[in-house]
Amino acid sequence: MPDSFNQFDLNKQLLNAVEDLGYTSPSPIQEKAIPVIMQGHDVLGIAQTGTGKTAAFLLPILMKVKYAQGNAIRCLILAPTRELAVQINEAITELAKYTDLRHTAIYGGTGSKSQIEAIRAGLDILVATPGRFMDLYLKGELVTKSIQYMVMDEADKMMDMGFMPQIRRILEVIPRKRKNLLFSATFPEKVERLSQEFLEAPMRIEVTPQATAAATVEQELYEVPNFRTKINLLGHMIDKNIDLTRAIVFCRTKTIADNVYKFLERKVVKENDVRVIHANKGQNTRLNSINAFKEGSVKILVATDVAARGIDIQEVSHVINFDVPVIYEDYVHRIGRTGRANLSGVAITFMTPSEAYHVKKIEKVIRTEIPRKPIPSEVNIPETPFEESQEMLRAIDDQRKKEDPDFKGAFHEKKAKNSRPRTSKKHRHNKKKR
Ligand code: AMP
């Protein structure tokens, strides 16, 4: 499967963790950066949050650092803020869950006692803000001689925040012979200078989120309470909208794509009017479906991003985001499929409460607010099933925690009190560590 994570030389532990996270195929930055880092090159990556850049540098590093060894850190990841340090550390927790690697995040604005304890217990990977790193180094708590990998994430922000002096000092106290990765959302002159100082013959990798969606695309967003409403709304649109002549329906996972396909085939369109493509479909089946859609004999194509990436389908009247993409550039890619060559097109997005977080971030990337539309009165809006509303609350909690590491998680707390058994994986990991 050329577009899956199997194309990289990653071990089973990492591939299983990637699968658990539900990543079906690498994002563009991952596709470019992972092989290059695996080969041992220094990398300069120009990429924003939302591109999948964290896993792009973590996966090859986890592969190299491999398993717990000795007590001194072998990989140092610098981040400008406590929030980002915590987020990176959480990503390591998830990606390294089947390994015995030890890692933690250290940052200022809080006591250093528990951070020092974690360091003394032995670490393979350390995520740090520059100030706190230097503090603890000067206290003699950090042994730097084994550092082989150094990552600077959001270098532009670190420089804007005035961390350059600390970064210079850090570079003086870590071994010269090491691999370096530098990631930055923008590439102003000062970052260029830093990269020249810091990186050795780097490979430059850039993913440019096209910040503006095609001007000919009309965007619409529907706020829906649950999955069933998405299904009903989709059925209504395909059935009732005479302008909808050829549409791609994007789904987050293979399972959702299959369910949407089955529903449309059974209830909405004629048998041969809809096809589904995703990574589990054989290459031939996929090509057949794409060709039939291109020729116009199939009206609706249900797809995951993976399956749809790179295929050139022109003149689509509607793009329907059945799920909000979590790789934010995918939104731009998805809606770029309509409104091509001066044809006007409509891009419709369905958003549940737990997806609002991602829509906000997408709106930041495209620098516009997507106009909200009311759900047509003919569409049936069923009650949200208990399990689904729990899932959503859990997701919203996790999002709030991402934004504010101090947020304890109202939902999880409540659950703990009622001693219900299911907590999210992420939460279980956090608990274990504390
Ligand atoms: P980042 O740009 O690293 O902050 O990642 C943005 C979001 O995309 C995070 O929520 C990741 O968990 C998610 N993500 C990263 N890589 C992938 C992938 N290959 N497929 C789906 N989601 C991903």
Side-chain angles (χ1 to χ4, degrees), residues 5 21-27 30 48-56 87 94 326-328 358 402:
F5 279 88
L21 281 166
Y23 302 173
T24 42
S25 79
S27 70
Q30 290 162 0
Q48 292 181 342
T49 301
T51 53
K53 69 179 162 74
T54 317
Q87 247 181 67
E94 283 167 346
V326 294
I327 299 265
Y328 305 136
H358 299 295
K402 253 191 192 173

mmCIF file with all atom_site columns, all heavy atoms in Angstrom, residues 5 21-27 30 48-56 87 94 326-328 358 402, ligand 1:
data_model
loop_
_atom_site.group_PDB
_atom_site.id
_atom_site.type_symbol
_atom_site.label_atom_id
_atom_site.label_alt_id
_atom_site.label_comp_id
_atom_site.label_asym_id
_atom_site.label_entity_id
_atom_site.label_seq_id
_atom_site.pdbx_PDB_ins_code
_atom_site.Cartn_x
_atom_site.Cartn_y
_atom_site.Cartn_z
_atom_site.occupancy
_atom_site.B_iso_or_equiv
_atom_site.pdbx_formal_charge
_atom_site.auth_seq_id
_atom_site.auth_comp_id
_atom_site.auth_asym_id
_atom_site.auth_atom_id
_atom_site.pdbx_PDB_model_num
ATOM   1   N N   . PHE A 1 5   ? 1.519   4.125  6.112  1.00 0.00 ? 5   PHE A N   1
ATOM   2   C CA  . PHE A 1 5   ? 2.746   4.304  6.893  1.00 0.00 ? 5   PHE A CA  1
ATOM   3   C C   . PHE A 1 5   ? 3.721   3.136  6.696  1.00 0.00 ? 5   PHE A C   1
ATOM   4   O O   . PHE A 1 5   ? 4.866   3.224  7.099  1.00 0.00 ? 5   PHE A O   1
ATOM   5   C CB  . PHE A 1 5   ? 2.389   4.462  8.372  1.00 0.00 ? 5   PHE A CB  1
ATOM   6   C CG  . PHE A 1 5   ? 1.948   5.853  8.718  1.00 0.00 ? 5   PHE A CG  1
ATOM   7   C CD1 . PHE A 1 5   ? 0.622   6.237  8.614  1.00 0.00 ? 5   PHE A CD1 1
ATOM   8   C CD2 . PHE A 1 5   ? 2.877   6.801  9.121  1.00 0.00 ? 5   PHE A CD2 1
ATOM   9   C CE1 . PHE A 1 5   ? 0.221   7.531  8.913  1.00 0.00 ? 5   PHE A CE1 1
ATOM   10  C CE2 . PHE A 1 5   ? 2.494   8.103  9.424  1.00 0.00 ? 5   PHE A CE2 1
ATOM   11  C CZ  . PHE A 1 5   ? 1.161   8.463  9.323  1.00 0.00 ? 5   PHE A CZ  1
ATOM   12  N N   . LEU A 1 21  ? -3.996  5.416  16.716 1.00 0.00 ? 21  LEU A N   1
ATOM   13  C CA  . LEU A 1 21  ? -4.377  6.829  16.637 1.00 0.00 ? 21  LEU A CA  1
ATOM   14  C C   . LEU A 1 21  ? -5.336  7.080  15.480 1.00 0.00 ? 21  LEU A C   1
ATOM   15  O O   . LEU A 1 21  ? -5.894  8.164  15.351 1.00 0.00 ? 21  LEU A O   1
ATOM   16  C CB  . LEU A 1 21  ? -3.125  7.697  16.455 1.00 0.00 ? 21  LEU A CB  1
ATOM   17  C CG  . LEU A 1 21  ? -2.318  7.955  17.725 1.00 0.00 ? 21  LEU A CG  1
ATOM   18  C CD1 . LEU A 1 21  ? -0.947  8.523  17.387 1.00 0.00 ? 21  LEU A CD1 1
ATOM   19  C CD2 . LEU A 1 21  ? -3.054  8.916  18.642 1.00 0.00 ? 21  LEU A CD2 1
ATOM   20  N N   . GLY A 1 22  ? -5.484  6.089  14.623 1.00 0.00 ? 22  GLY A N   1
ATOM   21  C CA  . GLY A 1 22  ? -6.413  6.228  13.507 1.00 0.00 ? 22  GLY A CA  1
ATOM   22  C C   . GLY A 1 22  ? -5.816  6.953  12.312 1.00 0.00 ? 22  GLY A C   1
ATOM   23  O O   . GLY A 1 22  ? -6.540  7.363  11.409 1.00 0.00 ? 22  GLY A O   1
ATOM   24  N N   . TYR A 1 23  ? -4.504  7.128  12.302 1.00 0.00 ? 23  TYR A N   1
ATOM   25  C CA  . TYR A 1 23  ? -3.889  7.746  11.117 1.00 0.00 ? 23  TYR A CA  1
ATOM   26  C C   . TYR A 1 23  ? -3.828  6.682  10.027 1.00 0.00 ? 23  TYR A C   1
ATOM   27  O O   . TYR A 1 23  ? -3.158  5.675  10.198 1.00 0.00 ? 23  TYR A O   1
ATOM   28  C CB  . TYR A 1 23  ? -2.454  8.198  11.368 1.00 0.00 ? 23  TYR A CB  1
ATOM   29  C CG  . TYR A 1 23  ? -2.233  9.184  12.479 1.00 0.00 ? 23  TYR A CG  1
ATOM   30  C CD1 . TYR A 1 23  ? -0.933  9.528  12.850 1.00 0.00 ? 23  TYR A CD1 1
ATOM   31  C CD2 . TYR A 1 23  ? -3.293  9.782  13.155 1.00 0.00 ? 23  TYR A CD2 1
ATOM   32  C CE1 . TYR A 1 23  ? -0.692  10.438 13.859 1.00 0.00 ? 23  TYR A CE1 1
ATOM   33  C CE2 . TYR A 1 23  ? -3.056  10.692 14.171 1.00 0.00 ? 23  TYR A CE2 1
ATOM   34  C CZ  . TYR A 1 23  ? -1.747  11.007 14.525 1.00 0.00 ? 23  TYR A CZ  1
ATOM   35  O OH  . TYR A 1 23  ? -1.504  11.891 15.520 1.00 0.00 ? 23  TYR A OH  1
ATOM   36  N N   . THR A 1 24  ? -4.501  6.916  8.926  1.00 0.00 ? 24  THR A N   1
ATOM   37  C CA  . THR A 1 24  ? -4.495  5.886  7.892  1.00 0.00 ? 24  THR A CA  1
ATOM   38  C C   . THR A 1 24  ? -3.399  6.124  6.866  1.00 0.00 ? 24  THR A C   1
ATOM   39  O O   . THR A 1 24  ? -2.863  5.191  6.297  1.00 0.00 ? 24  THR A O   1
ATOM   40  C CB  . THR A 1 24  ? -5.854  5.829  7.182  1.00 0.00 ? 24  THR A CB  1
ATOM   41  O OG1 . THR A 1 24  ? -6.298  7.160  6.964  1.00 0.00 ? 24  THR A OG1 1
ATOM   42  C CG2 . THR A 1 24  ? -6.862  5.086  8.010  1.00 0.00 ? 24  THR A CG2 1
ATOM   43  N N   . SER A 1 25  ? -3.056  7.389  6.631  1.00 0.00 ? 25  SER A N   1
ATOM   44  C CA  . SER A 1 25  ? -1.946  7.631  5.706  1.00 0.00 ? 25  SER A CA  1
ATOM   45  C C   . SER A 1 25  ? -1.191  8.870  6.160  1.00 0.00 ? 25  SER A C   1
ATOM   46  O O   . SER A 1 25  ? -1.739  9.722  6.854  1.00 0.00 ? 25  SER A O   1
ATOM   47  C CB  . SER A 1 25  ? -2.469  7.841  4.298  1.00 0.00 ? 25  SER A CB  1
ATOM   48  O OG  . SER A 1 25  ? -2.947  9.156  4.187  1.00 0.00 ? 25  SER A OG  1
ATOM   49  N N   . PRO A 1 26  ? 0.092   8.944  5.779  1.00 0.00 ? 26  PRO A N   1
ATOM   50  C CA  . PRO A 1 26  ? 0.889   10.088 6.221  1.00 0.00 ? 26  PRO A CA  1
ATOM   51  C C   . PRO A 1 26  ? 0.408   11.405 5.607  1.00 0.00 ? 26  PRO A C   1
ATOM   52  O O   . PRO A 1 26  ? -0.091  11.422 4.489  1.00 0.00 ? 26  PRO A O   1
ATOM   53  C CB  . PRO A 1 26  ? 2.300   9.749  5.734  1.00 0.00 ? 26  PRO A CB  1
ATOM   54  C CG  . PRO A 1 26  ? 2.182   8.597  4.833  1.00 0.00 ? 26  PRO A CG  1
ATOM   55  C CD  . PRO A 1 26  ? 0.848   7.972  5.008  1.00 0.00 ? 26  PRO A CD  1
ATOM   56  N N   . SER A 1 27  ? 0.560   12.475 6.345  1.00 0.00 ? 27  SER A N   1
ATOM   57  C CA  . SER A 1 27  ? 0.257   13.802 5.809  1.00 0.00 ? 27  SER A CA  1
ATOM   58  C C   . SER A 1 27  ? 1.433   14.205 4.911  1.00 0.00 ? 27  SER A C   1
ATOM   59  O O   . SER A 1 27  ? 2.500   13.588 4.969  1.00 0.00 ? 27  SER A O   1
ATOM   60  C CB  . SER A 1 27  ? 0.085   14.789 6.955  1.00 0.00 ? 27  SER A CB  1
ATOM   61  O OG  . SER A 1 27  ? 1.330   15.031 7.573  1.00 0.00 ? 27  SER A OG  1
ATOM   62  N N   . GLN A 1 30  ? 4.723   14.539 6.610  1.00 0.00 ? 30  GLN A N   1
ATOM   63  C CA  . GLN A 1 30  ? 5.222   13.235 7.080  1.00 0.00 ? 30  GLN A CA  1
ATOM   64  C C   . GLN A 1 30  ? 5.811   12.446 5.914  1.00 0.00 ? 30  GLN A C   1
ATOM   65  O O   . GLN A 1 30  ? 6.858   11.817 6.047  1.00 0.00 ? 30  GLN A O   1
ATOM   66  C CB  . GLN A 1 30  ? 4.087   12.457 7.750  1.00 0.00 ? 30  GLN A CB  1
ATOM   67  C CG  . GLN A 1 30  ? 3.678   13.073 9.082  1.00 0.00 ? 30  GLN A CG  1
ATOM   68  C CD  . GLN A 1 30  ? 2.316   12.628 9.567  1.00 0.00 ? 30  GLN A CD  1
ATOM   69  O OE1 . GLN A 1 30  ? 1.638   11.838 8.927  1.00 0.00 ? 30  GLN A OE1 1
ATOM   70  N NE2 . GLN A 1 30  ? 1.903   13.143 10.709 1.00 0.00 ? 30  GLN A NE2 1
ATOM   71  N N   . GLN A 1 48  ? 3.258   24.580 9.495  1.00 0.00 ? 48  GLN A N   1
ATOM   72  C CA  . GLN A 1 48  ? 2.458   25.092 10.608 1.00 0.00 ? 48  GLN A CA  1
ATOM   73  C C   . GLN A 1 48  ? 1.861   23.950 11.421 1.00 0.00 ? 48  GLN A C   1
ATOM   74  O O   . GLN A 1 48  ? 1.832   22.817 10.970 1.00 0.00 ? 48  GLN A O   1
ATOM   75  C CB  . GLN A 1 48  ? 1.281   25.911 10.062 1.00 0.00 ? 48  GLN A CB  1
ATOM   76  C CG  . GLN A 1 48  ? 1.698   27.186 9.392  1.00 0.00 ? 48  GLN A CG  1
ATOM   77  C CD  . GLN A 1 48  ? 0.493   27.955 8.894  1.00 0.00 ? 48  GLN A CD  1
ATOM   78  O OE1 . GLN A 1 48  ? -0.592  27.403 8.746  1.00 0.00 ? 48  GLN A OE1 1
ATOM   79  N NE2 . GLN A 1 48  ? 0.688   29.237 8.647  1.00 0.00 ? 48  GLN A NE2 1
ATOM   80  N N   . THR A 1 49  ? 1.346   24.324 12.578 1.00 0.00 ? 49  THR A N   1
ATOM   81  C CA  . THR A 1 49  ? 0.560   23.387 13.364 1.00 0.00 ? 49  THR A CA  1
ATOM   82  C C   . THR A 1 49  ? -0.646  22.963 12.534 1.00 0.00 ? 49  THR A C   1
ATOM   83  O O   . THR A 1 49  ? -1.199  23.778 11.805 1.00 0.00 ? 49  THR A O   1
ATOM   84  C CB  . THR A 1 49  ? 0.075   24.077 14.645 1.00 0.00 ? 49  THR A CB  1
ATOM   85  O OG1 . THR A 1 49  ? 1.215   24.503 15.344 1.00 0.00 ? 49  THR A OG1 1
ATOM   86  C CG2 . THR A 1 49  ? -0.747  23.151 15.507 1.00 0.00 ? 49  THR A CG2 1
ATOM   87  N N   . GLY A 1 50  ? -1.013  21.707 12.651 1.00 0.00 ? 50  GLY A N   1
ATOM   88  C CA  . GLY A 1 50  ? -2.156  21.242 11.874 1.00 0.00 ? 50  GLY A CA  1
ATOM   89  C C   . GLY A 1 50  ? -1.726  20.510 10.614 1.00 0.00 ? 50  GLY A C   1
ATOM   90  O O   . GLY A 1 50  ? -2.552  20.017 9.864  1.00 0.00 ? 50  GLY A O   1
ATOM   91  N N   . THR A 1 51  ? -0.412  20.439 10.393 1.00 0.00 ? 51  THR A N   1
ATOM   92  C CA  . THR A 1 51  ? 0.079   19.732 9.211  1.00 0.00 ? 51  THR A CA  1
ATOM   93  C C   . THR A 1 51  ? 0.494   18.302 9.555  1.00 0.00 ? 51  THR A C   1
ATOM   94  O O   . THR A 1 51  ? 0.788   17.507 8.680  1.00 0.00 ? 51  THR A O   1
ATOM   95  C CB  . THR A 1 51  ? 1.329   20.442 8.634  1.00 0.00 ? 51  THR A CB  1
ATOM   96  O OG1 . THR A 1 51  ? 2.276   20.605 9.699  1.00 0.00 ? 51  THR A OG1 1
ATOM   97  C CG2 . THR A 1 51  ? 0.981   21.799 8.057  1.00 0.00 ? 51  THR A CG2 1
ATOM   98  N N   . GLY A 1 52  ? 0.550   17.998 10.851 1.00 0.00 ? 52  GLY A N   1
ATOM   99  C CA  . GLY A 1 52  ? 1.041   16.691 11.276 1.00 0.00 ? 52  GLY A CA  1
ATOM   100 C C   . GLY A 1 52  ? 2.547   16.707 11.484 1.00 0.00 ? 52  GLY A C   1
ATOM   101 O O   . GLY A 1 52  ? 3.196   15.666 11.487 1.00 0.00 ? 52  GLY A O   1
ATOM   102 N N   . LYS A 1 53  ? 3.098   17.887 11.718 1.00 0.00 ? 53  LYS A N   1
ATOM   103 C CA  . LYS A 1 53  ? 4.559   18.015 11.817 1.00 0.00 ? 53  LYS A CA  1
ATOM   104 C C   . LYS A 1 53  ? 5.119   17.298 13.047 1.00 0.00 ? 53  LYS A C   1
ATOM   105 O O   . LYS A 1 53  ? 6.239   16.799 13.016 1.00 0.00 ? 53  LYS A O   1
ATOM   106 C CB  . LYS A 1 53  ? 4.974   19.487 11.821 1.00 0.00 ? 53  LYS A CB  1
ATOM   107 C CG  . LYS A 1 53  ? 4.570   20.216 13.084 1.00 0.00 ? 53  LYS A CG  1
ATOM   108 C CD  . LYS A 1 53  ? 5.028   21.668 13.053 1.00 0.00 ? 53  LYS A CD  1
ATOM   109 C CE  . LYS A 1 53  ? 4.291   22.515 14.060 1.00 0.00 ? 53  LYS A CE  1
ATOM   110 N NZ  . LYS A 1 53  ? 4.663   22.343 15.451 1.00 0.00 ? 53  LYS A NZ  1
ATOM   111 N N   . THR A 1 54  ? 4.338   17.244 14.127 1.00 0.00 ? 54  THR A N   1
ATOM   112 C CA  . THR A 1 54  ? 4.859   16.621 15.345 1.00 0.00 ? 54  THR A CA  1
ATOM   113 C C   . THR A 1 54  ? 5.201   15.150 15.101 1.00 0.00 ? 54  THR A C   1
ATOM   114 O O   . THR A 1 54  ? 6.305   14.707 15.401 1.00 0.00 ? 54  THR A O   1
ATOM   115 C CB  . THR A 1 54  ? 3.828   16.738 16.493 1.00 0.00 ? 54  THR A CB  1
ATOM   116 O OG1 . THR A 1 54  ? 3.288   18.061 16.465 1.00 0.00 ? 54  THR A OG1 1
ATOM   117 C CG2 . THR A 1 54  ? 4.460   16.481 17.829 1.00 0.00 ? 54  THR A CG2 1
ATOM   118 N N   . ALA A 1 55  ? 4.251   14.422 14.527 1.00 0.00 ? 55  ALA A N   1
ATOM   119 C CA  . ALA A 1 55  ? 4.526   13.004 14.233 1.00 0.00 ? 55  ALA A CA  1
ATOM   120 C C   . ALA A 1 55  ? 5.608   12.899 13.161 1.00 0.00 ? 55  ALA A C   1
ATOM   121 O O   . ALA A 1 55  ? 6.357   11.919 13.139 1.00 0.00 ? 55  ALA A O   1
ATOM   122 C CB  . ALA A 1 55  ? 3.257   12.304 13.780 1.00 0.00 ? 55  ALA A CB  1
ATOM   123 N N   . ALA A 1 56  ? 5.723   13.905 12.298 1.00 0.00 ? 56  ALA A N   1
ATOM   124 C CA  . ALA A 1 56  ? 6.745   13.868 11.238 1.00 0.00 ? 56  ALA A CA  1
ATOM   125 C C   . ALA A 1 56  ? 8.145   13.813 11.828 1.00 0.00 ? 56  ALA A C   1
ATOM   126 O O   . ALA A 1 56  ? 9.008   13.120 11.323 1.00 0.00 ? 56  ALA A O   1
ATOM   127 C CB  . ALA A 1 56  ? 6.601   15.071 10.304 1.00 0.00 ? 56  ALA A CB  1
ATOM   128 N N   . GLN A 1 87  ? 2.085   19.328 24.816 1.00 0.00 ? 87  GLN A N   1
ATOM   129 C CA  . GLN A 1 87  ? 1.470   18.664 23.659 1.00 0.00 ? 87  GLN A CA  1
ATOM   130 C C   . GLN A 1 87  ? 2.423   17.672 22.991 1.00 0.00 ? 87  GLN A C   1
ATOM   131 O O   . GLN A 1 87  ? 2.031   16.560 22.639 1.00 0.00 ? 87  GLN A O   1
ATOM   132 C CB  . GLN A 1 87  ? 1.121   19.719 22.625 1.00 0.00 ? 87  GLN A CB  1
ATOM   133 C CG  . GLN A 1 87  ? -0.348  19.896 22.427 1.00 0.00 ? 87  GLN A CG  1
ATOM   134 C CD  . GLN A 1 87  ? -0.610  20.956 21.365 1.00 0.00 ? 87  GLN A CD  1
ATOM   135 O OE1 . GLN A 1 87  ? -0.310  20.762 20.201 1.00 0.00 ? 87  GLN A OE1 1
ATOM   136 N NE2 . GLN A 1 87  ? -1.139  22.085 21.773 1.00 0.00 ? 87  GLN A NE2 1
ATOM   137 N N   . GLU A 1 94  ? 1.634   8.852  23.190 1.00 0.00 ? 94  GLU A N   1
ATOM   138 C CA  . GLU A 1 94  ? 0.777   8.068  22.296 1.00 0.00 ? 94  GLU A CA  1
ATOM   139 C C   . GLU A 1 94  ? 1.587   7.241  21.308 1.00 0.00 ? 94  GLU A C   1
ATOM   140 O O   . GLU A 1 94  ? 1.316   6.066  21.098 1.00 0.00 ? 94  GLU A O   1
ATOM   141 C CB  . GLU A 1 94  ? -0.176  9.002  21.552 1.00 0.00 ? 94  GLU A CB  1
ATOM   142 C CG  . GLU A 1 94  ? -1.317  9.442  22.454 1.00 0.00 ? 94  GLU A CG  1
ATOM   143 C CD  . GLU A 1 94  ? -2.116  10.603 21.897 1.00 0.00 ? 94  GLU A CD  1
ATOM   144 O OE1 . GLU A 1 94  ? -1.642  11.258 20.945 1.00 0.00 ? 94  GLU A OE1 1
ATOM   145 O OE2 . GLU A 1 94  ? -3.199  10.861 22.429 1.00 0.00 ? 94  GLU A OE2 1
ATOM   146 N N   . VAL A 1 326 ? -9.006  16.814 10.437 1.00 0.00 ? 326 VAL A N   1
ATOM   147 C CA  . VAL A 1 326 ? -8.130  17.253 11.532 1.00 0.00 ? 326 VAL A CA  1
ATOM   148 C C   . VAL A 1 326 ? -6.755  17.677 11.039 1.00 0.00 ? 326 VAL A C   1
ATOM   149 O O   . VAL A 1 326 ? -5.991  18.280 11.761 1.00 0.00 ? 326 VAL A O   1
ATOM   150 C CB  . VAL A 1 326 ? -7.978  16.200 12.653 1.00 0.00 ? 326 VAL A CB  1
ATOM   151 C CG1 . VAL A 1 326 ? -9.291  15.979 13.366 1.00 0.00 ? 326 VAL A CG1 1
ATOM   152 C CG2 . VAL A 1 326 ? -7.430  14.891 12.111 1.00 0.00 ? 326 VAL A CG2 1
ATOM   153 N N   . ILE A 1 327 ? -6.436  17.311 9.812  1.00 0.00 ? 327 ILE A N   1
ATOM   154 C CA  . ILE A 1 327 ? -5.259  17.894 9.160  1.00 0.00 ? 327 ILE A CA  1
ATOM   155 C C   . ILE A 1 327 ? -5.840  19.087 8.402  1.00 0.00 ? 327 ILE A C   1
ATOM   156 O O   . ILE A 1 327 ? -6.578  18.910 7.435  1.00 0.00 ? 327 ILE A O   1
ATOM   157 C CB  . ILE A 1 327 ? -4.615  16.907 8.166  1.00 0.00 ? 327 ILE A CB  1
ATOM   158 C CG1 . ILE A 1 327 ? -4.162  15.656 8.877  1.00 0.00 ? 327 ILE A CG1 1
ATOM   159 C CG2 . ILE A 1 327 ? -3.496  17.562 7.374  1.00 0.00 ? 327 ILE A CG2 1
ATOM   160 C CD1 . ILE A 1 327 ? -2.737  15.632 9.301  1.00 0.00 ? 327 ILE A CD1 1
ATOM   161 N N   . TYR A 1 328 ? -5.520  20.275 8.889  1.00 0.00 ? 328 TYR A N   1
ATOM   162 C CA  . TYR A 1 328 ? -6.286  21.429 8.427  1.00 0.00 ? 328 TYR A CA  1
ATOM   163 C C   . TYR A 1 328 ? -6.083  21.751 6.951  1.00 0.00 ? 328 TYR A C   1
ATOM   164 O O   . TYR A 1 328 ? -6.966  22.281 6.287  1.00 0.00 ? 328 TYR A O   1
ATOM   165 C CB  . TYR A 1 328 ? -6.013  22.628 9.326  1.00 0.00 ? 328 TYR A CB  1
ATOM   166 C CG  . TYR A 1 328 ? -6.303  22.283 10.771 1.00 0.00 ? 328 TYR A CG  1
ATOM   167 C CD1 . TYR A 1 328 ? -5.455  22.639 11.804 1.00 0.00 ? 328 TYR A CD1 1
ATOM   168 C CD2 . TYR A 1 328 ? -7.432  21.519 11.077 1.00 0.00 ? 328 TYR A CD2 1
ATOM   169 C CE1 . TYR A 1 328 ? -5.722  22.275 13.117 1.00 0.00 ? 328 TYR A CE1 1
ATOM   170 C CE2 . TYR A 1 328 ? -7.706  21.137 12.380 1.00 0.00 ? 328 TYR A CE2 1
ATOM   171 C CZ  . TYR A 1 328 ? -6.848  21.519 13.392 1.00 0.00 ? 328 TYR A CZ  1
ATOM   172 O OH  . TYR A 1 328 ? -7.118  21.136 14.673 1.00 0.00 ? 328 TYR A OH  1
ATOM   173 N N   . HIS A 1 358 ? -11.860 22.094 15.687 1.00 0.00 ? 358 HIS A N   1
ATOM   174 C CA  . HIS A 1 358 ? -11.064 22.014 14.464 1.00 0.00 ? 358 HIS A CA  1
ATOM   175 C C   . HIS A 1 358 ? -11.514 23.052 13.438 1.00 0.00 ? 358 HIS A C   1
ATOM   176 O O   . HIS A 1 358 ? -10.698 23.580 12.698 1.00 0.00 ? 358 HIS A O   1
ATOM   177 C CB  . HIS A 1 358 ? -11.140 20.609 13.871 1.00 0.00 ? 358 HIS A CB  1
ATOM   178 C CG  . HIS A 1 358 ? -10.602 19.562 14.794 1.00 0.00 ? 358 HIS A CG  1
ATOM   179 N ND1 . HIS A 1 358 ? -9.274  19.524 15.167 1.00 0.00 ? 358 HIS A ND1 1
ATOM   180 C CD2 . HIS A 1 358 ? -11.202 18.542 15.451 1.00 0.00 ? 358 HIS A CD2 1
ATOM   181 C CE1 . HIS A 1 358 ? -9.087  18.520 16.002 1.00 0.00 ? 358 HIS A CE1 1
ATOM   182 N NE2 . HIS A 1 358 ? -10.237 17.910 16.189 1.00 0.00 ? 358 HIS A NE2 1
ATOM   183 N N   . LYS A 1 402 ? -5.599  20.359 25.661 1.00 0.00 ? 402 LYS A N   1
ATOM   184 C CA  . LYS A 1 402 ? -4.544  20.735 24.726 1.00 0.00 ? 402 LYS A CA  1
ATOM   185 C C   . LYS A 1 402 ? -4.271  22.228 24.814 1.00 0.00 ? 402 LYS A C   1
ATOM   186 O O   . LYS A 1 402 ? -3.143  22.677 24.758 1.00 0.00 ? 402 LYS A O   1
ATOM   187 C CB  . LYS A 1 402 ? -4.996  20.420 23.295 1.00 0.00 ? 402 LYS A CB  1
ATOM   188 C CG  . LYS A 1 402 ? -4.295  19.239 22.701 1.00 0.00 ? 402 LYS A CG  1
ATOM   189 C CD  . LYS A 1 402 ? -4.575  19.149 21.232 1.00 0.00 ? 402 LYS A CD  1
ATOM   190 C CE  . LYS A 1 402 ? -4.127  17.810 20.710 1.00 0.00 ? 402 LYS A CE  1
ATOM   191 N NZ  . LYS A 1 402 ? -4.506  17.584 19.342 1.00 0.00 ? 402 LYS A NZ  1
HETATM 192 P P1  . AMP B 2 .   ? 0.343   18.746 14.372 1.00 0.00 ? 1   AMP B P1  1
HETATM 193 O O1  . AMP B 2 .   ? 0.463   19.560 13.125 1.00 0.00 ? 1   AMP B O1  1
HETATM 194 O O2  . AMP B 2 .   ? 1.524   17.904 14.611 1.00 0.00 ? 1   AMP B O2  1
HETATM 195 O O3  . AMP B 2 .   ? -0.030  19.616 15.545 1.00 0.00 ? 1   AMP B O3  1
HETATM 196 O O4  . AMP B 2 .   ? -0.880  17.706 14.164 1.00 0.00 ? 1   AMP B O4  1
HETATM 197 C C1  . AMP B 2 .   ? -2.204  18.119 13.930 1.00 0.00 ? 1   AMP B C1  1
HETATM 198 C C2  . AMP B 2 .   ? -3.233  17.022 14.221 1.00 0.00 ? 1   AMP B C2  1
HETATM 199 O O5  . AMP B 2 .   ? -3.216  16.042 13.211 1.00 0.00 ? 1   AMP B O5  1
HETATM 200 C C3  . AMP B 2 .   ? -3.006  16.274 15.523 1.00 0.00 ? 1   AMP B C3  1
HETATM 201 O O6  . AMP B 2 .   ? -4.266  16.183 16.170 1.00 0.00 ? 1   AMP B O6  1
HETATM 202 C C4  . AMP B 2 .   ? -2.524  14.906 15.116 1.00 0.00 ? 1   AMP B C4  1
HETATM 203 O O7  . AMP B 2 .   ? -2.926  13.919 16.022 1.00 0.00 ? 1   AMP B O7  1
HETATM 204 C C5  . AMP B 2 .   ? -3.181  14.729 13.762 1.00 0.00 ? 1   AMP B C5  1
HETATM 205 N N1  . AMP B 2 .   ? -2.396  13.918 12.824 1.00 0.00 ? 1   AMP B N1  1
HETATM 206 C C6  . AMP B 2 .   ? -1.060  13.912 12.652 1.00 0.00 ? 1   AMP B C6  1
HETATM 207 N N2  . AMP B 2 .   ? -0.703  13.081 11.655 1.00 0.00 ? 1   AMP B N2  1
HETATM 208 C C7  . AMP B 2 .   ? -1.841  12.549 11.152 1.00 0.00 ? 1   AMP B C7  1
HETATM 209 C C8  . AMP B 2 .   ? -2.146  11.620 10.102 1.00 0.00 ? 1   AMP B C8  1
HETATM 210 N N3  . AMP B 2 .   ? -1.202  11.094 9.335  1.00 0.00 ? 1   AMP B N3  1
HETATM 211 N N4  . AMP B 2 .   ? -3.442  11.328 9.895  1.00 0.00 ? 1   AMP B N4  1
HETATM 212 C C9  . AMP B 2 .   ? -4.423  11.882 10.651 1.00 0.00 ? 1   AMP B C9  1
HETATM 213 N N5  . AMP B 2 .   ? -4.212  12.751 11.651 1.00 0.00 ? 1   AMP B N5  1
HETATM 214 C C10 . AMP B 2 .   ? -2.944  13.093 11.911 1.00 0.00 ? 1   AMP B C10 1
#
